Amino acid sequence: MEGIPHPIPRTVDEVFSDFKGRRAGLIKALTTDVDKFYQQCDPEKENLCLYGLPTETWEVNLPVEEVPPELPEPALGINFARDGMQEKDWLSLVAVHSDSWLLAVAFYFGARFGFGKNERKKLFQMINDLPTIFEVVTGNVKQPKEQSAITHKSGKSNSSGKQSRQPEHQAKAVKMSPPPKDEDDSGEEEEEDDEQGATCGACGDNYGTDEFWICCDVCEKWFHGKCVKITPAKAEHIKQYKCPSCSSKRARV
């Protein structure tokens, strides 16, 4: 539970930075840390909430007792529904409520510090440019058609196949990045759009040319290497990569 030990955001950029930190923490809870999150949401315990913190971390805890609380509270009692639903449906439900909570917190700060119409519009636009937590958790993040088609074709391949999918402008095979355009497709704009449209299946952030990426051969989602703890050296020895979510699903079957 959060007692606001962090600096209180007062500007649009500060509120958006706070939003991104909390969002990253919630996405970790519902994707890469899903087993740990699942275990902490014991239905035998009292009403529990999932909190995202500005430090890109998360925690499951009881709601604060003060009324009214310092910040809007997340959905109460998420643990009670855990064993009454399929896991993917339960995670999706928590993701939807987490999206609602993030918006409530961001616009709480906006109201508290007197954001005007233009400031609220700017804040919402910045937030709206990111995929929702629900989209990330369910895999429904919308990508450009060209990229989706190529990602589908790149499917199940070995590590050497992954290396061949790097953008042509990278001279050394040190990153695994969203797939390049086919050779018969030309135009710098299309290549730029393809890269910018890629988002990490763990944190939801956009593709960057200076980052190492890897593709799951099961669900075909792309991930930052740092988000799934895979380095270029490790990737060289992986014949078929499975992301944490796909690995945990197979373990529970």
Side-chain angles (χ1 to χ4, degrees):
M1 167 176 30
E2 190 179 3
I4 313 295
H6 313 284
I8 298 176
R10 297 172 182 271
T11 67
V12 171
D13 289 337
E14 288 174 353
V15 172
F16 182 60
S17 178
D18 180 271
F19 176 93
K20 287 200 300 181
R22 295 177 190 275
R23 174 180 173 277
L26 292 170
I27 289 175
K28 286 179 182 176
L30 298 172
T31 55
T32 55
D33 298 345
V34 67
D35 289 335
K36 181 180 177 182
F37 170 63
Y38 188 90
Q39 292 170 3
Q40 290 190 22
C41 291
D42 186 348
E44 298 299 320
K45 295 182 180 179
E46 298 180 64
N47 289 294
L48 293 175
C49 297
L50 171 61
Y51 292 86
L53 307 181
T55 53
E56 300 188 4
T57 56
W58 60 274
E59 66 177 0
V60 171
N61 216 325
L62 297 171
V64 296
E65 295 182 358
E66 62 179 301
V67 178
E70 178 65 20
L71 285 180
E73 286 294 317
L76 183 65
I78 57 171
N79 51 312
F80 294 149
R82 191 195 73 178
D83 294 343
M85 308 172 65
Q86 290 190 6
E87 181 178 325
K88 64 178 182 178
D89 294 332
W90 176 67
L91 292 173
S92 297
L93 181 63
V94 176
V96 169
H97 284 290
S98 296
D99 280 319
S100 300
W101 177 67
L102 283 179
L103 285 174
V105 171
F107 282 88
Y108 163 82
F109 286 128
R112 180 175 175 182
F113 296 109
F115 286 7
K117 178 180 179 181
N118 291 334
E119 291 171 310
R120 292 194 302 271
K121 183 177 180 180
K122 178 183 177 182
L123 176 59
F124 179 77
Q125 185 60 54
M126 294 167 75
I127 291 173
N128 202 38
D129 285 339
L130 295 174
T132 64
I133 298 176
F134 175 78
E135 289 175 330
V136 174
V137 170
T138 59
N140 291 330
V141 178
K142 294 182 179 179
Q143 299 178 348
K145 292 181 181 178
E146 296 90 343
Q147 179 182 326
S148 298
I150 296 172
T151 302
H152 179 72
K153 287 192 295 183
S154 64
K156 299 173 176 54
S157 58
N158 56 26
S159 58
S160 62
K162 285 181 169 63
Q163 292 290 351
S164 68
R165 285 183 271 167
Q166 299 174 56
E168 296 176 359
H169 63 266
Q170 294 178 11
K172 297 181 180 180
V174 296
K175 302 181 182 69
M176 265 171 268
S177 304
K181 310 288 288 183
D182 289 338
E183 290 184 0
D184 57 348
D185 289 342
S186 60
E188 296 182 1
E189 281 188 22
E190 291 182 349
E191 181 176 334
E192 186 175 305
D193 289 343
D194 188 50
E195 294 176 356
Q196 291 179 350
T199 54
C200 175
C203 69
D205 283 347
N206 292 331
Y207 164 73
T209 57
D210 60 342
E211 298 172 306
F212 166 70
W213 283 63
I214 188 167
C215 179
C216 174
D217 286 309
V218 179
C219 65
E220 298 185 352
K221 295 179 187 175
W222 289 92
F223 298 87
H224 289 113
K226 64 183 180 181
C227 290
V228 291
K229 299 180 181 178
I230 297 292
T231 63
K234 285 184 180 180
E236 288 289 341
H237 303 287
I238 299 176
K239 291 184 178 180
Q240 185 185 53
Y241 174 68
K242 298 174 187 173
C243 68
S245 178
C246 291
S247 296
S248 63
K249 285 178 183 177
R250 298 205 167 198
R252 284 193 289 271
V253 171

